Amino acid sequence: MVSEKEIEAYLRIRIKKLGGIAYKFTSPGNDGVPDRLVLLPDGDVSFVELKAPGKKPSKLQTVQINRIKKLGFEVHVIDSKDLVDEIYPLIDDIDEMYPLEGDRVEI
């Protein structure tokens, strides 16, 4: 069985391939906030709570998730690599659209 840590690593790689950043998110004094703040091109922002397969957020995490959603932000609870793929699908020509640092793009 895959661990939460492995799902988190997979998410980071997926988001980088999409040209984005998946910041580790902590907020001192605010326990239960989601694990990652995901920033994608074109201003797409979401929060991600990562869980081991089949696990659910705690009561406190659910309260924080609902607070963030009420502000209009997307919050995803992810417990598998397949769910990462479903929520953040790759685009065939993503490398041309958002090259990784150091790649050259001819215009």
Side-chain angles (χ1 to χ4, degrees), residues 16-91:
K16 187 172 182 178
K17 285 182 181 179
L18 289 169
I21 302 167
Y23 286 115
K24 182 74 174 169
F25 182 58
T26 58
S27 181
N30 292 290
D31 293 340
V33 296
D35 298 309
R36 293 278 169 174
L37 172 61
V38 174
L39 309 175
L40 292 170
D42 298 324
D44 188 5
V45 177
S46 60
F47 293 84
V48 175
E49 175 59 39
L50 294 147
K51 298 311 249 177
K55 299 292 181 180
K56 302 292 180 201
S58 68
K59 276 187 174 184
L60 180 56
Q61 288 171 327
T62 301
V63 167
Q64 292 287 23
I65 288 168
N66 289 334
R67 287 177 73 194
I68 293 168
K69 283 182 174 181
K70 282 183 184 177
L71 293 171
F73 292 97
E74 287 187 32
V75 182
H76 304 288
V77 177
I78 297 177
D79 69 349
S80 70
K81 290 180 181 181
D82 287 341
L83 197 49
V84 171
D85 293 345
E86 182 181 320
I87 294 169
Y88 300 106
L90 290 180
I91 300 167

